[in-house]
Amino acid sequence: MPVSEVLTQSQIDALLSAARGGENIGSTEDTGGEKKYRKYDFRSPRKFTKDRLKMLDSIFENYSRNLNSRINGLMHTSCEISVESAEEQRYYEFSNALIEGDILTLAYIRYGDVREEAPVLLHVTKPLMLSMIDRMMGGEGEVDDDLDPEYTFTDLELKIAEGLTHYFVDNMGESWENYIHLDFDFGRIEPNPTMIQPLGLDEIVVIMDLTVKFPNCDGRMSICLPGMVLTNIFGEINRQNTAHKNQDEAAAKEIFESLKNTEIELVAEICRTQLKLSDIYHLSVGDVIDLKRPKDSPVYINIGGRRWFDGVMGVHNKNMAVKIGKTYYEPEERDVEQDGR
């Protein structure tokens, strides 16, 4: 054990006292007013970081907005869809909440030439699904408050439910466009999810819970994303981002190489001054124009009409030349504030 983790004698006495008093040593409650901590299960370590979960939350926020507007148009009513939570769980925690008679939809993700084998699962609570089916058949979406939990869907209701969930799956890929192009292929619906096990019970999954509210009914839509599928997708996103970065760097280098051979005009400006037209008319050889600047003042070297360098006049190989003294640049609004103008 590291030295920093060695308990002091007072801490050991406090733990022994708590144990003798029957208190829960591992409790997250703290009666001393200090910061509370959540238990961490080392047997089931978290696979996805908070940033990844926030990313999924953002993706399905986009999905909920897109689906919201389309359901409003499809069912001719007002509807509100929002993301309630994004949680990493084991698959059995999701499957244990399903009951006989629920409808479970299986869909498969494609990107590039890859088609993931593990399915994405979509579950809509039974009252909410019955309400949407009723609206699709011309009703008001009313659902009995005392609906039998063991109610089973008829063949006609299953057919309508299949069309609805097919619609939900088809619109799921658009929300990923900011990160990666994904296609969600509708697989099938299962009217009795307790009889199938598409994923291992201990497999890591991320559950996206969405709340759906109609004027006279509300419920929940849950989307179960297999952890291995998400890991592959995140890896592909990182690979594409790296490839795009390399392409951008290569393109920038190519552009710079082409610009290196571009000819531009450099203007060495000794000074600027103003004369009356009558004075210019009477100028003759040998006249002197007072520039109001010392003779050792720097020469302005302009590129594109802007001052970039200061230089000094001189001679090089019997030719007039300007030696660059320092790099200098003034914002555009100050370019006109040169001495002697």
Side-chain angles (χ1 to χ4, degrees):
M1 178 179 292
V3 175
S4 61
E5 297 182 8
V6 176
L7 299 178
T8 64
Q9 186 59 47
S10 59
Q11 291 173 323
I12 295 174
D13 293 340
L15 289 173
L16 292 175
S17 176
R20 287 193 294 268
E23 297 179 16
N24 185 0
I25 298 175
S27 174
T28 58
E29 298 295 330
D30 191 304
T31 57
E34 298 180 358
K35 184 177 179 181
K36 299 180 181 179
Y37 296 91
R38 186 176 62 180
K39 288 183 179 180
Y40 185 85
D41 188 355
F42 286 92
R43 293 174 298 180
S44 302
R46 296 296 178 184
K47 191 172 185 178
F48 301 105
T49 63
K50 290 182 179 180
D51 290 339
R52 291 300 190 190
L53 294 179
K54 286 181 180 179
M55 174 181 167
L56 291 173
D57 188 85
S58 173
I59 288 171
F60 281 90
E61 281 287 355
N62 291 336
Y63 174 67
S64 65
R65 286 192 292 267
N66 293 338
L67 191 61
N68 192 2
S69 61
R70 296 183 181 186
I71 287 181
N72 289 344
L74 181 66
M75 300 186 180
H76 305 288
T77 186
S78 61
C79 169
E80 294 182 6
I81 304 178
S82 60
V83 177
E84 184 176 346
S85 64
E87 294 185 3
E88 180 181 329
Q89 300 178 357
R90 298 283 179 171
Y91 174 67
Y92 68 82
E93 298 180 68
F94 173 77
S95 62
N96 287 346
L98 304 176
I99 61 175
E100 186 175 352
D102 280 348
I103 294 178
L104 187 66
T105 303
L106 282 70
Y108 298 88
I109 294 178
R110 286 188 298 109
Y111 50 93
D113 298 329
V114 179
R115 184 179 188 271
E116 294 288 349
E117 295 298 327
V120 173
L121 308 176
L122 185 146
H123 172 253
V124 180
T125 54
K126 191 176 295 182
L128 178 61
M129 179 60 75
L130 288 172
S131 176
M132 291 191 290
I133 290 173
D134 186 63
R135 290 183 182 278
M136 293 297 292
M137 298 180 68
E140 298 295 328
E142 297 289 347
V143 179
D144 293 337
D145 294 334
D146 55 350
L147 178 68
D148 187 354
E150 298 182 0
Y151 177 87
T152 56
F153 292 87
T154 64
D155 291 342
L156 177 60
E157 290 171 339
L158 286 175
K159 194 66 178 178
I160 298 174
E162 180 178 354
L164 283 171
T165 54
H166 201 303
Y167 185 77
F168 298 160
V169 169
D170 288 344
N171 288 280
M172 205 172 290
E174 293 183 16
S175 56
W176 291 79
E177 288 297 331
N178 290 336
Y179 302 95
I180 187 175
H181 177 76
L182 295 182
D183 291 314
F184 285 75
D185 295 336
F186 179 84
R188 68 182 190 277
I189 63 171
E190 285 290 341
N192 189 359
T194 60
M195 300 298 293
I196 65 168
Q197 186 178 321
L199 301 174
L201 291 178
D202 287 328
E203 184 170 342
I204 295 292
V205 296
V206 174
I207 309 298
M208 304 300 305
D209 275 330
L210 283 68
T211 56
V212 184
K213 295 182 180 180
F214 287 100
N216 53 359
C217 178
D218 60 76
R220 192 180 73 254
M221 178 189 301
S222 298
I223 302 168
C224 176
L225 303 166
M228 186 56 65
V229 173
L230 286 177
T231 299
N232 295 339
I233 291 174
F234 291 145
E236 180 66 14
I237 292 174
N238 291 337
R239 188 191 67 80
Q240 291 185 9
N241 289 342
T242 302
H244 290 161
K245 182 179 179 180
N246 293 338
Q247 290 176 0
D248 292 342
E249 290 178 352
K253 185 177 181 180
E254 182 179 352
I255 292 172
F256 181 72
E257 289 296 328
S258 64
L259 289 176
K260 284 167 64 175
N261 298 322
T262 303
E263 294 184 359
I264 59 174
E265 183 182 28
L266 275 72
V267 178
E269 181 179 308
I270 299 175
C271 186
R272 294 186 184 185
T273 189
Q274 293 181 343
L275 293 176
K276 294 181 179 180
L277 182 58
S278 60
D279 294 336
I280 296 175
Y281 181 77
H282 292 98
L283 283 177
S284 61
V285 178
D287 289 345
V288 176
I289 300 175
D290 185 5
L291 300 179
K292 296 182 176 62
R293 294 189 65 196
K295 63 178 181 179
D296 56 351
S297 297
V299 177
Y300 301 139
I301 301 175
N302 300 329
I303 301 175
R306 295 185 180 181
R307 180 179 171 186
W308 283 86
F309 305 102
D310 279 354
V312 179
M313 289 292 296
V315 177
H316 180 70
N317 293 333
K318 299 182 180 181
N319 294 318
M320 293 289 293
V322 177
K323 181 180 179 180
I324 295 178
K326 67 175 181 178
T327 302
Y328 183 79
Y329 172 70
E330 290 185 349
E332 186 174 359
E333 62 268 18
R334 296 181 58 189
D335 286 348
V336 296
E337 297 178 9
Q338 298 179 355
D339 295 337
R341 171 173 291 189

